[in-house]
Amino acid sequence: MPEYKNMKRKHEGMKGVTLVELLMAVAILGTALVGIASLVSSGLLQLQNIRVQRTAANCARMVMEYLETVPPDDVYAWSPGVALEGNFATGAGIEQLNNFVNAGNQTCRDLSDTADTYGKRVRMSYSICPGCYSATQCDPVTLICWTSCYYFYRVKVTYNGVAMGDSRTEDYFTKKFHGQNRLCTDLEACGEGNIPGTLKNCSW
């Protein structure tokens, strides 16, 4: 009988140790799963941010593609020296540009639309900042003068990150010496410049 009691106590002691070990294992496993879930969630948000960043860069490139189809002095005439603001959803900005960008892909529009789940966070918008440089030169012999000019513009697409909501931008710049629709000296063009030249810059 004493031997049976001792065996019973040992068996009960083993049960207790097994239960404690099981609880510890469950606690460790739970902590690990919470950590993994947090990493997965963070990774998914980062992936969404990367997708939004790529989309913003693509939207900015499509704005530049549209502007390549427009004479540079016409772009300058839209808003000389002052940034022209707009977005791809509400129609604020340039309607033809929005139609061009949204024709093949609605993503730019969705990320600008505050009625959209992601658009409400991202709030994508664009700015076009046109400027020009002109210079008038005269031949000392014939005294014939002429004015030459080139146009440039900057395109900026602004958006918020999905996770933190911080503002980010995609910037592009180009300049053109040809393709103008009018003479440099026309009223809506860059105008006559002095020597060595006159810069009409654009700032955000």
Side-chain angles (χ1 to χ4, degrees):
M1 287 295 290
E3 288 180 7
Y4 172 74
K5 287 181 180 179
N6 289 335
M7 288 178 62
K8 188 176 179 183
R9 284 177 191 151
K10 285 180 183 179
H11 185 62
E12 288 174 352
M14 287 175 64
K15 274 187 177 178
V17 170
T18 303
L19 183 59
V20 169
E21 288 176 345
L22 180 62
L23 290 174
M24 287 179 65
V26 168
I28 292 169
L29 181 61
T31 303
L33 289 175
V34 168
I36 292 170
S38 177
L39 287 173
V40 169
S41 176
S42 176
L44 288 174
L45 283 175
Q46 188 61 26
L47 182 61
Q48 288 175 341
N49 276 331
I50 292 171
R51 286 176 178 170
V52 170
Q53 182 180 12
R54 287 179 179 172
T55 300
N58 189 45
C59 295
R61 281 193 296 268
M62 286 195 286
V63 171
M64 292 295 287
E65 283 179 19
Y66 174 78
L67 295 179
E68 289 291 330
T69 68
V70 181
D73 49 353
D74 285 352
V75 176
Y76 177 77
W78 290 344
S79 184
V82 180
L84 180 63
E85 308 285 341
N87 65 59
F88 303 104
T90 64
I94 305 165
E95 184 179 356
Q96 295 89 342
L97 186 153
N98 290 350
N99 292 338
F100 176 86
V101 172
N102 294 326
N105 191 339
Q106 294 289 317
T107 309
C108 299
R109 181 190 180 282
D110 292 341
L111 293 180
S112 300
D113 188 359
T114 54
D116 183 86
T117 304
Y118 282 113
K120 189 175 182 179
R121 291 193 222 170
V122 176
R123 296 179 179 271
M124 186 178 291
S125 62
Y126 63 82
S127 301
I128 301 169
C129 205
C132 67
Y133 176 87
S134 62
T136 299
Q137 296 172 301
C138 298
D139 189 301
V141 178
T142 63
L143 300 180
I144 295 174
C145 299
W146 67 93
T147 300
S148 57
C149 59
Y150 73 79
Y151 295 87
F152 57 88
Y153 43 82
R154 296 176 177 86
V155 170
K156 178 169 67 175
V157 169
T158 306
Y159 63 99
N160 295 325
V162 176
M164 303 302 294
D166 53 324
S167 181
R168 306 176 183 191
T169 60
E170 294 291 332
D171 295 289
Y172 288 84
F173 173 81
T174 192
K175 61 183 178 181
K176 290 189 173 182
F177 292 92
H178 57 82
Q180 289 95 329
N181 197 31
R182 55 182 70 83
L183 295 174
C184 295
T185 52
D186 286 352
L187 185 62
E188 293 182 338
C190 196
E192 292 186 10
N194 54 26
I195 298 173
T198 300
L199 174 65
K200 297 180 179 178
N201 207 349
C202 178
S203 57
W204 303 111

